[in-house]
Every structure is written in structure tokens, then in C-alpha cells.
């Protein structure tokens, strides 16, 4: 199985920097960075809002917990929102992402 | 575990209104509202299309069914599309969202 | 249960074309096509980047594997990224998408 991870960043540049690092480490195969989103949240008993930049990262299901943990470390927020889940993938996606983490070459 | 809910709204204002209500009720910790999307659908044997505004809501997995049910009630459409799923979350996300629904303070 | 499928396309037009075909075949109930995203990826041992157009498709969980497989065939890329997962849906969504694949009428 493959997996997706959703994570909002403060801006596209920080999303790209963290994504490139995770690509370097073989923990993801791809990061998709979207246009701005508006966030409304409850945190520490208070309400807040802000503009963020959403990212969706693709990996192998076996790497899901490791990739989430490393993403949380690299993220510019102290307490980033990082949520991932296993997925059924198409054949090409499955074989591409399965090569991650094994030191092998990766395919798009 | 944590959870995500995906739901398109007619516009950002209605997404924000429903999101703020769900925050007030402690059923979600955050709503992310994105830029416009194009929708093409089949409904009641006919085809349609339109512009919508996507929202992604974060909650605790234990609140998933309740949050979906309440979102469906509050949504301006008669038959809104509301789909949610449990997620593996980073440590900060997990502990933030776990405080929901228990009457405790919530953290971002 | 219902399901979502995430798939980036080269542009909104190709996403729409494939989405309309899957609607024609009764394999999905809806496609949501978003604004442009930036993609950074590792593929075949090399790194790449590009602009893509994200799509999120809604279907019944029983059709998930079939819809993924058909989407992979129809997609303009040789090796598209196609990832789907089962979802808990609101009542209206559940009954709408359950009509897919059975030859019955579909509701939004």
C-alpha cells in the first residue's frame, strides 16, 4: 500500500524546503504544494485564524509513521498539524513508492 | 488517532460559518478553506457542474462520526458531500485533537 | 462506505476529460478539480518539478479499486499518481454514491 500525508505550512517556500529534505532522505516520493488556504482553529483554549499553504506528500505505507515523525521535526511550527493515512494506489504509483526507503531508485 | 473530513461548500463564507460553529461545539480543532474548485457530478440521473469551495476539517477519530453528522446538518446544501477518514497523526497533532470533545482546552 | 481518490493531472482540461469519462462509466459520482499546485518529486533516481492540477474524485468504496484502475488507464501520464481510500460518509453522500455501479440513477 501507499500513503498520503496532509500538512499545512506557513508558506510555499517552507513547504518546498521540508519536502526537498524528505525527498533527499528517501522518506517521500513527491510533495504537492497548493495555493493559499484560510485556517480557523482552536488552540490552547483560544481561537485563531491565518493564511497557510497546504501540502500533500506521497509515500509508501511502510514509511508512513517515519515520514510523519520526521516531517514534524523539520516543520517550522512548534506544533504542526501532520495527518497521514494508508491508500490503495494504482499499479504505477504502488511500484514507484515501494522503491522508497530501500535505497533503490525511485520512479515518478 | 486523529481524522480528516473533506467537504465542498458553495463559497468560503458558508464554509467559515459552519467551521466556526463546529469549533464552538468542540467537534473539530481546525478548518482549512481552499480556493475555488470546479465540480462535475452525476446526481439523480442528470449531470451537473459548478464552482465550489473545498474545506478540510481536523478532528479526533473518536469524534469523526459525530462531526460528520453535525456538519451534514449545518451545511447549506440539502445533500452535501461529506467524507471523513481516520489518520495517523504527528505527536503534536494527536495530543491537540485528543483534547476535543472532552470539554478541555484545545491546542493548535 | 464511500471513498475518495486523489490524482494530479497535467492541467484542468485533461482532469475534466478523464472525470467526465469516469462519470459516463458510472465509476465515480463527482470530480473536484483544484487550482494549480507545485510538484517536487523523485523518479527513476532523478529529481523533477512541475506544475500540476489536483483532482479529488468521489465514489463508492466497492468501486474504489475499479475506479483507480480505470483512472490509471485513462490518465495522460504513463505513470500517473493515483491514490484512493475508503471514507465514512454523511448519510446523503453514502446513499448518493451507493447508487453508482448498480446501473441506477445517481444523486448529488
Amino acid at each position: 500500500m501507499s500513503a498520503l500525508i496532509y500538512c499545512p505550512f506557513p508558506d510555499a517556500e517552507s513547504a518546498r524546503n521540508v519536502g526537498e529534505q524528505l525527498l533527499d532522505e528517501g522518506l517521500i516520493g513527491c510533495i504537492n504544494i497548493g495555493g493559499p488556504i484560510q485556517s480557523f482553529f482552536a488552540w490552547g483554549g483560544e481561537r485563531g485564524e491565518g493564511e497557510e499553504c497546504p501540502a500533500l506528500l506521497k509515500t509508501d505505507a511502510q514509511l508512513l509513521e517515519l515520514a510523519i515523525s520526521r516531517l514534524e521535526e523539520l516543520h517550522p511550527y512548534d506544533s504542526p498539524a501532520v495527518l497521514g493515512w494508508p491508500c490503495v494506489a494504482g499499479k504505477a504509483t504502488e511500484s514507484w513508492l515501494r522503491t522508497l526507503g530501500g535505497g533503490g531508485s525511485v520512479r515518478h
Side-chain angles (χ1 to χ4, degrees), chain A:
Chain A
M1 289 191 85
S2 301
L4 285 171
I5 302 170
Y6 175 73
C7 180
F9 285 82
D11 49 53
E13 189 185 354
S14 61
R16 178 179 176 165
N17 289 343
V18 171
E20 300 257 23
Q21 181 67 28
L22 292 169
L23 285 166
D24 285 345
E25 297 181 14
L27 289 175
I28 61 166
C30 180
I31 181 169
N32 291 161
I33 304 171
I37 54 174
Q38 297 297 318
S39 296
F40 302 90
F41 56 90
W43 187 82
E46 300 198 357
R47 293 282 279 276
E49 60 180 270
E51 188 173 288
E52 295 185 296
C53 181
L56 207 48
L57 303 91
K58 297 165 207 152
T59 190
D60 189 71
Q62 294 197 348
L63 292 174
L64 179 57
E65 299 212 15
L66 193 54
I68 287 173
S69 167
R70 185 71 178 126
L71 171 49
E72 196 174 27
E73 280 177 3
L74 294 170
H75 198 287
Y77 294 162
D78 283 339
S79 301
V82 184
L83 300 106
W85 60 98
C87 292
V88 179
K91 283 182 189 172
T93 308
E94 178 79 26
S95 64
W96 163 43
L97 294 171
R98 200 184 294 147
T99 61
L100 289 171
S105 63
V106 286
R107 287 178 298 128
H108 179 47

